[in-house]
Amino acid sequence: MLTKPLVYFAYLLKTSAYYQKSKRFFYDLLENPQSKMKSYFDIFMICLVMLSVFFLVYSVEHELSNTGEFFEQCVVTVFISEYLLRAWLYSDSHRIIIKEYERAEYLNTSFSPLKTLKKVLGKKLEYMLSLFAIIDLLAILPSYRPLRILRILLIFRLFKLFRYSNSIKVFADVLSSKRFELITLAIFMGFLVFISTIAIYLFENNSSGGSVRHLYDAFYWSIVTISTVGYGDITPITFGGRLVTVALILTGLGVLSFFTSIIVSAFNEKMYTLRENRTYAELSRLDNFIIICGFGRVGQEIATKFEKDQQAFIVIDINESHILLAKEKNYLYVQDDASKNTVLTNAGINTGASSIICATGNDVINVYITLTSRFLNPNINIIARSNRDDNVHKLYQAGANNVIQPFEISGLLAAEYVGQPVAFEAILGILQEQKQILMETLVVYPNCLLEYKIIGDIDFKSRKLTLVGVISSNKTHLKRRNRYKVNNQHFYFNPENHFELQAQDMVIVLGRKYSIEHFQDQIEKSKLRSK
Amino acid sequence: MKKIVVFGYNTLSYEAVSRLDQKSHDVLIIETDPALKKSAEDKGFKTQSLDFRSDDDLKSIGIGHSIDVIFCFLLEDSSNVFLTLSARAIAQDLDIIAIAGSAQSAEKLIAAGANKIIDPYQICGQKIHELIKKPDITNIIDHTVFGRDDLHIAEVIIPIGSYLENTYSSTLSLNEQFNLVLIGIVDKELGDNLHFAIGEKDHKLDAGDIIVVLGPSREINAFKKDVANV
């Protein structure tokens, strides 16, 4: 009887785009560590918690005004909605129902709605029993009037702060990695405290003239002494009591230093992962960054250029001395083997990286990284360095978009320098943008002033520009002369005066930075105006 | 005929030598490793084996009188510095081109007297940076000027008595007459600097000025011939 509406409802939710969309939205808002919204929400919640705690402290000595009460109501409303939303997000109930139903259909058994609902509620209960959910609940409950007595529990609101930052998780991780040592220490300390509690009680109880009234006092004294805090509110006076104190202080010193050293070494061991996590967290906030694999001379050169351009990048290298250099320069880096899938994935090859540069000095590694990257992301731009001529086609085969041969270019430049020193300076000058002169592309946007214009009508001269050519993949130009095939496009060198520009063509000009930027602005404006 | 000596046979020297016009350059490769020497000979290059540390050996191949250019393409930066230093001591007006493996060695090579330093790693880094920043233009330069396509940047010196003497750069209109793009001009009146042809200044052309053009080699040759017409 219950089956039909339940299953129908589950399928309805599954197919409803609106439901899925809103669930996705709240997931991004509350849980998705990658989403920007979550970080804003976390900051908002931290402020809210702080404010509400401020009101709590204020109300210790003052009467809250109406505004204060109203604010409190608002805060509680936000907390309750957050709690419920998290419970909702924790599991997909309709999925459980559908799964159970389909299983029953497949196995030809009867579908039990009660059992399924139990499962659904079980999942939700699982959420409610999680540590953070309990803290959330305790932060809300005291606001309910009949439970005013629990007002002190409002302090749990402060614990809520941990939810919005990563620190508690890190700390718990660090501690859990040293579980064995900590447990050993705890057991040892437990015995120690137990023995000293009993001993001090026996020596220093009231009837023996001491100030220890009962076992709780003895326990309190033990903890105060073993931790070397030593308030001095309870002091042993008998000979036996003092003996116990001396022994306890000495062992306490040992226990304390042991505890400190465990924590320190745990942090030390985790430091690397912690730092790496920070790197990844910083990366996840970036778009369009570049992965540089190999931080040798070539990698360093590229990094310096990118730094100047304010282009974001991350360096991956396994070599200690290379990484040290990256560290000194404050670059984002990962010390690991760049040919591993996980390393590249963590470095964001599928999340935000636009290009990957394989610049190690070893061609074998470059081929391997290229292959791995192409496999992980079919669309990423891969630029690889090849030190030997015979490896160039292997790199292209592995999926590189461009292959650079340092020795080939250098040889070519050397030959050029001997043969045509002036031309050599010209090439270098254009490539390195010396004297602010550069070669730049002007993109012909649809509906901008350049579209359907013929070259003869564009006055490059008065704009202080020199036309070099046009890059286009447009088929209408194919019959033109001076055609050079470059990748999937054609480069039309020195186009004739009646060459008609089409949308998406790229005009290559030589000129000063200002003239080019000025012309680009005009093109941009004309595009906007025509809209 | 320019006489060139290349020290060290490797990818870099092979690339440099094979790009040089074999007719107008006389190239000698110095290599002590027999296997490398053999492979250079197989490619048809003139080779010789000698000790670059000995001044007498250097003089024996003509450094100091007949050699115009040397390439110091040895693998060790220290060897290149040593070679540069020795060669400079023997010949004051020798053109010395050396490779440097690091920025520090580049400085040392300059101090030792090299005319041009080529740092393969720096150039490679620069190229990769350009590829990321301006992929279209870099691709085109790679395919045409650096690559095997027939599009080159060339320099043309205006000879004495050429019809171009006393004309102005604005009247050149090379793109219509020769299918060439004018990249720049070295106007000797203004020094040895290259002025890019971006319509900023009209240069009066004289004999000895250098015109840098971009275009197919056939057009470049036609232009060279035309310029030489008295």
Side-chain angles (χ1 to χ4, degrees), chain B residues 113-124:
Chain B
N115 297 76
K116 190 78 207 171
I117 308 299
I118 291 177
D119 182 342
Y121 302 111
Q122 188 196 13
I123 292 173
C124 179

Side-chain angles (χ1 to χ4, degrees), chain A residues 155-374:
Chain A
I155 204 70
F156 273 95
R157 287 195 179 168
L158 281 174
F159 286 110
K160 253 173 97 68
L161 289 177
F162 286 127
R163 185 191 261 294
Y164 307 111
S165 82
N166 214 10
S167 56
I168 186 81
K169 205 181 153 301
V170 170
F171 197 72
D173 275 354
V174 168
L175 289 188
S176 72
S177 71
K178 288 280 169 183
R179 208 178 306 124
F180 175 72
E181 288 90 333
L182 287 173
I183 289 174
T184 316
L185 187 69
I187 292 171
F188 176 69
M189 224 175 85
F191 276 123
L192 207 63
V193 170
F194 179 70
I195 293 167
S196 63
T197 305
I198 301 292
I200 205 74
Y201 181 69
L202 291 180
F203 284 116
E204 295 281 328
N205 56 22
N206 282 351
S207 47
S208 319
S211 51
V212 177
R213 284 163 298 167
H214 35 63
L215 266 181
Y216 175 70
D217 264 3
F219 172 74
Y220 166 76
W221 173 87
S222 294
I223 296 289
V224 167
T225 310
I226 201 172
S227 65
T228 73
V229 171
Y231 287 123
D233 49 350
I234 301 171
T235 40
I237 38 173
T238 63
F239 175 74
R242 287 192 172 160
L243 216 58
V244 172
T245 314
V246 169
L248 191 62
I249 287 173
L250 289 180
T251 35
L253 280 175
V255 168
L256 208 68
S257 49
F258 186 33
F259 179 71
T260 320
S261 77
I262 289 175
I263 301 284
V264 169
S265 79
F267 267 106
N268 255 342
E269 280 164 28
K270 279 264 170 175
M271 216 47 199
Y272 174 70
T273 349
L274 285 180
R275 220 204 46 73
E276 206 165 69
N277 284 345
R278 222 203 67 216
T279 307
Y280 292 143
E282 218 161 299
L283 264 190
S284 64
R285 261 176 264 138
L286 299 171
D287 281 336
N288 263 332
F289 59 88
I290 288 161
I291 304 176
I292 303 177
C293 305
F295 198 62
R297 280 271 292 129
V298 174
Q300 291 161 24
E301 192 70 35
I302 303 169
T304 328
K305 298 257 168 196
F306 284 155
E307 198 189 9
K308 222 191 226 160
D309 294 352
Q310 299 191 327
Q311 160 73 52
F313 61 89
I314 175 168
V315 171
I316 308 179
D317 200 310
I318 197 153
N319 185 322
E320 183 79 46
S321 62
H322 288 169
I323 283 301
L324 218 62
L325 267 173
K327 209 185 215 167
E328 264 170 32
K329 298 208 164 165
N330 240 338
Y331 298 153
L332 285 180
Y333 64 88
V334 177
Q335 185 177 6
D336 214 328
D337 182 0
S339 54
K340 281 193 228 151
N341 288 17
T342 43
V343 174
L344 286 177
T345 312
N346 283 336
I349 190 166
N350 284 314
T351 45
S354 61
S355 301
I356 176 158
I357 297 169
C358 313
T360 71
N362 186 333
D363 283 1
V364 178
I365 294 177
N366 283 342
V367 168
Y368 198 62
I369 299 174
T370 306
L371 206 66
T372 314
S373 322
R374 182 52 78 220

Side-chain angles (χ1 to χ4, degrees), chain A residues 290 297-298 301-302 305-306 309 355 357 359 381 383 385 387 389 402 404 406-433 435 437-441 461 464-468 471 481-482 484-487 489 491 493-494 497 506 508 510-512, chain B residues 2 4 11-12 15-16 19-20 25 69 71 73 95 97 100-103 115-116 118-134 136-137 139-146 148-151 153-155 170 175-176 179-183 186 193-194 196-200 210 212 214-216:
Chain A
I290 288 161
R297 280 271 292 129
V298 174
E301 192 70 35
I302 303 169
K305 298 257 168 196
F306 284 155
D309 294 352
S355 301
I357 297 169
N381 180 29
I383 298 175
R385 159 185 170 191
N387 300 304
D389 219 15
N402 289 94
I404 304 282
F407 298 109
E408 192 207 19
I409 314 168
S410 311
L412 187 136
L413 283 176
E416 199 75 20
Y417 179 71
V418 172
Q420 311 191 90
V422 182
F424 167 85
E425 291 297 335
I427 298 175
L428 270 195
I430 293 169
L431 284 182
Q432 297 174 1
E433 298 180 9
K435 305 174 198 161
I437 299 217
L438 49 132
M439 233 191 224
E440 192 57 90
T441 46
K461 212 168 207 173
K464 297 199 167 148
L465 295 172
T466 299
L467 172 72
V468 177
I471 306 177
R481 58 171 193 154
N482 295 334
Y484 297 92
K485 196 162 170 28
V486 175
N487 297 344
Q489 300 167 317
F491 170 56
F493 170 70
N494 188 21
N497 275 340
M506 280 177 278
I508 300 184
L510 184 71
R512 266 187 207 279
Chain B
K2 255 188 181 167
I4 299 173
T11 329
L12 188 70
E15 208 54 57
R19 295 268 178 174
L20 283 172
H25 296 97
V69 184
F71 286 164
F73 286 175
D95 230 345
I97 299 160
S102 71
N115 297 76
K116 190 78 207 171
I118 291 177
D119 182 342
Y121 302 111
Q122 188 196 13
I123 292 173
C124 179
Q126 234 158 34
K127 285 287 294 183
I128 292 177
H129 173 245
E130 281 151 19
L131 262 175
I132 299 258
K133 221 173 125 201
K134 296 185 189 174
D136 300 309
I137 289 183
N139 259 325
I140 281 179
I141 294 185
D142 273 3
H143 272 77
T144 55
V145 183
F146 286 160
R148 313 289 171 192
D149 272 337
D150 182 30
L151 203 57
I153 290 189
E155 55 187 76
S170 57
N175 54 342
E176 283 158 23
N179 190 22
L180 293 172
V181 169
L182 178 68
I183 299 287
V186 177
N193 285 338
L194 177 74
F196 281 93
I198 45 176
E200 282 179 338
I210 301 170
V212 179
L214 172 70

Side-chain angles (χ1 to χ4, degrees), chain B residues 22 59 62 103 122 151 154 165 213:
Chain B
Q22 303 298 329
K59 280 176 193 156
Q122 188 196 13
L151 203 57
E165 266 191 278
V213 292

Side-chain angles (χ1 to χ4, degrees), chain A residues 4-21:
Chain A
K4 229 175 174 182
L6 191 68
V7 174
Y8 175 76
F9 188 62
Y11 273 108
L12 188 75
L13 288 184
K14 192 188 169 191
T15 49
S16 157
Y18 179 72
Y19 175 79
Q20 299 296 347
K21 219 174 111 191

Side-chain angles (χ1 to χ4, degrees), chain A residues 23 56 82 107 122 212 263 283 316 411 490:
Chain A
K23 191 151 190 172
L56 178 71
E82 187 204 0
L107 296 175
V212 177
I263 301 284
L283 264 190
I316 308 179
H490 280 99

